Amino acid sequence: MTVAVVDSGGANISSVLHALGRLGVEPEFTHEATAIRKADRVILPGVGAAGHAMEVLARYGLVDVIRSLTQPVLGICLGMQLLFESSEEDDAAMLGMIPARLERLPDREGLRVPHMGWNAIETTRADPLTESLDGNWFYFVHSFAAPTGDWTLATSRHGQSFSAVVRRDNFSGAQFHPERSASAGATLLWNFLEMPQP
Protein backbone atom coordinates (compact mmCIF):
# COMPACT_ATOMS: atom_id res chain seq x y z
CA MET A 1 0.00 0.00 0.00
CA THR A 2 1.24 3.47 -0.86
CA VAL A 3 0.48 6.38 1.46
CA ALA A 4 1.10 10.00 0.51
CA VAL A 5 1.41 12.55 3.32
CA VAL A 6 0.71 15.96 1.79
CA ASP A 7 3.15 18.80 2.40
CA SER A 8 0.74 21.54 3.48
CA GLY A 9 3.29 23.55 5.46
CA GLY A 10 2.31 22.02 8.80
CA ALA A 11 4.53 21.36 11.79
CA ASN A 12 3.53 17.86 12.90
CA ILE A 13 4.98 15.97 9.96
CA SER A 14 7.68 13.89 11.63
CA SER A 15 5.33 12.53 14.30
CA VAL A 16 2.77 11.56 11.63
CA LEU A 17 5.44 9.81 9.56
CA HIS A 18 6.76 7.95 12.61
CA ALA A 19 3.26 6.89 13.67
CA LEU A 20 2.67 5.40 10.23
CA GLY A 21 6.07 3.73 10.34
CA ARG A 22 5.11 2.00 13.58
CA LEU A 23 2.18 0.50 11.67
CA GLY A 24 4.50 -0.92 9.03
CA VAL A 25 3.85 1.78 6.42
CA GLU A 26 6.55 3.74 4.60
CA PRO A 27 4.72 6.96 3.65
CA GLU A 28 5.90 9.47 1.08
CA PHE A 29 5.92 13.09 2.24
CA THR A 30 5.23 15.06 -0.91
CA HIS A 31 3.71 18.04 -2.67
CA GLU A 32 3.89 16.34 -6.07
CA ALA A 33 0.45 16.04 -7.65
CA THR A 34 1.30 12.80 -9.48
CA ALA A 35 2.41 11.01 -6.29
CA ILE A 36 -0.69 12.18 -4.44
CA ARG A 37 -3.05 11.07 -7.20
CA LYS A 38 -1.41 7.63 -7.45
CA ALA A 39 -1.31 6.87 -3.70
CA ASP A 40 -3.68 4.28 -2.23
CA ARG A 41 -4.25 6.52 0.80
CA VAL A 42 -3.68 10.26 1.29
CA ILE A 43 -3.14 12.01 4.62
CA LEU A 44 -3.48 15.79 4.94
CA PRO A 45 -1.77 16.79 8.20
CA GLY A 46 -1.54 20.26 9.63
CA VAL A 47 -0.60 22.44 12.54
CA GLY A 48 -0.88 26.16 11.97
CA ALA A 49 -3.29 28.66 10.45
CA ALA A 50 -5.99 27.91 7.91
CA GLY A 51 -5.17 30.78 5.58
CA HIS A 52 -1.47 29.91 5.41
CA ALA A 53 -2.19 26.22 4.78
CA MET A 54 -4.48 27.07 1.88
CA GLU A 55 -1.81 29.40 0.47
CA VAL A 56 0.72 26.55 0.59
CA LEU A 57 -1.66 24.15 -1.17
CA ALA A 58 -2.39 26.79 -3.81
CA ARG A 59 1.32 27.47 -4.31
CA TYR A 60 1.92 23.78 -5.03
CA GLY A 61 -1.16 23.59 -7.29
CA LEU A 62 -2.83 21.07 -4.99
CA VAL A 63 -6.22 22.60 -4.21
CA ASP A 64 -8.03 21.06 -7.18
CA VAL A 65 -5.87 17.92 -6.97
CA ILE A 66 -7.09 17.20 -3.43
CA ARG A 67 -10.68 18.04 -4.30
CA SER A 68 -10.57 15.51 -7.15
CA LEU A 69 -9.18 12.56 -5.16
CA THR A 70 -11.26 9.38 -5.09
CA GLN A 71 -9.15 7.24 -2.75
CA PRO A 72 -9.55 7.47 1.05
CA VAL A 73 -8.22 10.79 2.41
CA LEU A 74 -7.65 11.58 6.10
CA GLY A 75 -7.21 15.12 7.39
CA ILE A 76 -5.52 15.50 10.78
CA CYS A 77 -6.15 18.54 13.02
CA LEU A 78 -5.88 21.55 10.68
CA GLY A 79 -5.92 19.04 7.83
CA MET A 80 -9.42 18.01 8.92
CA GLN A 81 -10.49 21.65 9.12
CA LEU A 82 -9.29 22.25 5.57
CA LEU A 83 -11.94 19.80 4.35
CA PHE A 84 -14.64 22.31 5.33
CA GLU A 85 -15.99 25.21 3.31
CA SER A 86 -14.57 28.08 5.34
CA SER A 87 -13.15 29.13 8.69
CA GLU A 88 -13.52 32.11 10.98
CA GLU A 89 -9.72 31.85 11.29
CA ASP A 90 -8.26 34.23 8.68
CA ASP A 91 -11.80 34.27 7.16
CA ALA A 92 -10.32 31.54 4.99
CA ALA A 93 -12.04 29.82 2.09
CA MET A 94 -11.03 26.17 2.24
CA LEU A 95 -11.39 22.96 0.22
CA GLY A 96 -15.17 22.75 0.57
CA MET A 97 -15.83 19.02 0.72
CA ILE A 98 -17.96 19.56 3.83
CA PRO A 99 -20.48 22.45 3.62
CA ALA A 100 -19.92 24.15 6.97
CA ARG A 101 -17.84 26.91 8.58
CA LEU A 102 -15.42 26.50 11.48
CA GLU A 103 -15.73 28.90 14.39
CA ARG A 104 -13.49 29.84 17.30
CA LEU A 105 -14.11 27.88 20.48
CA PRO A 106 -15.83 29.86 23.25
CA ASP A 107 -13.34 31.86 25.30
CA ARG A 108 -14.99 32.25 28.67
CA GLU A 109 -14.12 31.78 32.32
CA GLY A 110 -12.87 28.30 33.10
CA LEU A 111 -12.16 27.43 29.45
CA ARG A 112 -8.74 27.75 27.92
CA VAL A 113 -8.35 28.51 24.23
CA PRO A 114 -6.56 26.94 22.52
CA HIS A 115 -8.06 23.71 23.76
CA MET A 116 -5.02 21.60 24.65
CA GLY A 117 -5.17 18.20 26.26
CA TRP A 118 -6.90 14.85 26.39
CA ASN A 119 -10.62 14.50 25.68
CA ALA A 120 -12.87 11.50 25.19
CA ILE A 121 -14.88 11.13 22.00
CA GLU A 122 -18.42 9.85 21.60
CA THR A 123 -19.24 8.11 18.33
CA THR A 124 -22.52 9.15 16.72
CA ARG A 125 -22.90 6.35 14.17
CA ALA A 126 -21.12 3.19 13.12
CA ASP A 127 -18.27 3.62 10.66
CA PRO A 128 -15.11 1.63 9.87
CA LEU A 129 -12.95 4.66 10.77
CA THR A 130 -14.17 4.87 14.37
CA GLU A 131 -14.66 1.15 15.04
CA SER A 132 -13.71 0.29 18.67
CA LEU A 133 -13.04 3.94 19.54
CA ASP A 134 -16.19 5.09 21.36
CA GLY A 135 -15.21 6.59 24.72
CA ASN A 136 -11.49 6.56 23.98
CA TRP A 137 -9.30 9.55 24.84
CA PHE A 138 -7.32 11.55 22.28
CA TYR A 139 -4.94 14.50 22.36
CA PHE A 140 -6.37 17.80 21.03
CA VAL A 141 -4.69 21.13 20.23
CA HIS A 142 -6.99 23.61 18.49
CA SER A 143 -8.67 27.01 18.77
CA PHE A 144 -11.27 26.56 16.03
CA ALA A 145 -13.79 23.76 15.78
CA ALA A 146 -16.18 22.23 13.29
CA PRO A 147 -19.92 22.10 13.98
CA THR A 148 -21.75 18.82 14.05
CA GLY A 149 -23.83 17.63 11.11
CA ASP A 150 -24.50 14.62 8.94
CA TRP A 151 -20.73 14.42 8.36
CA THR A 152 -20.01 13.84 12.07
CA LEU A 153 -18.79 10.36 13.10
CA ALA A 154 -17.78 11.35 16.65
CA THR A 155 -18.05 14.38 18.89
CA SER A 156 -16.08 15.80 21.79
CA ARG A 157 -16.67 18.78 24.04
CA HIS A 158 -14.85 21.94 25.12
CA GLY A 159 -17.46 24.44 26.23
CA GLN A 160 -19.63 23.14 23.42
CA SER A 161 -19.98 19.98 21.39
CA PHE A 162 -17.94 19.85 18.20
CA SER A 163 -17.03 17.35 15.49
CA ALA A 164 -14.05 15.25 16.56
CA VAL A 165 -14.17 12.82 13.62
CA VAL A 166 -15.87 13.49 10.30
CA ARG A 167 -16.43 11.76 7.00
CA ARG A 168 -18.12 12.68 3.74
CA ASP A 169 -17.67 10.16 0.93
CA ASN A 170 -13.93 9.34 0.71
CA PHE A 171 -12.85 12.36 2.79
CA SER A 172 -12.37 11.78 6.54
CA GLY A 173 -10.88 13.86 9.28
CA ALA A 174 -9.83 13.81 12.93
CA GLN A 175 -9.66 17.05 14.92
CA PHE A 176 -7.29 15.44 17.42
CA HIS A 177 -3.77 14.19 16.80
CA PRO A 178 -3.87 10.39 16.39
CA GLU A 179 -0.09 10.35 16.07
CA ARG A 180 0.12 11.70 19.65
CA SER A 181 -2.78 9.71 21.10
CA ALA A 182 -1.13 6.41 22.07
CA SER A 183 -2.91 3.16 21.22
CA ALA A 184 -6.28 4.80 20.48
CA GLY A 185 -4.63 7.03 17.89
CA ALA A 186 -2.83 4.05 16.36
CA THR A 187 -6.18 2.27 16.10
CA LEU A 188 -7.73 5.17 14.20
CA LEU A 189 -4.79 5.30 11.77
CA TRP A 190 -4.98 1.53 11.28
CA ASN A 191 -8.73 1.74 10.69
CA PHE A 192 -8.06 4.38 8.02
CA LEU A 193 -5.44 2.25 6.31
CA GLU A 194 -7.81 -0.72 6.29
CA MET A 195 -10.89 1.17 5.06
CA PRO A 196 -12.33 -0.18 1.82
CA GLN A 197 -12.19 1.95 -1.27
CA PRO A 198 -15.40 3.98 -1.64
Side-chain angles (χ1 to χ4, degrees), residues 21-40:
R22 289 192 294 272
L23 297 175
V25 174
E26 294 185 14
E28 180 179 4
F29 178 55
T30 181
H31 59 256
E32 296 296 330
T34 301
I36 293 167
R37 286 193 183 102
K38 288 172 59 177
D40 298 312

Side-chain angles (χ1 to χ4, degrees), residues 9-23:
N12 64 327
I13 303 306
S14 62
S15 56
V16 171
L17 298 178
H18 285 120
L20 292 167
R22 289 192 294 272
L23 297 175

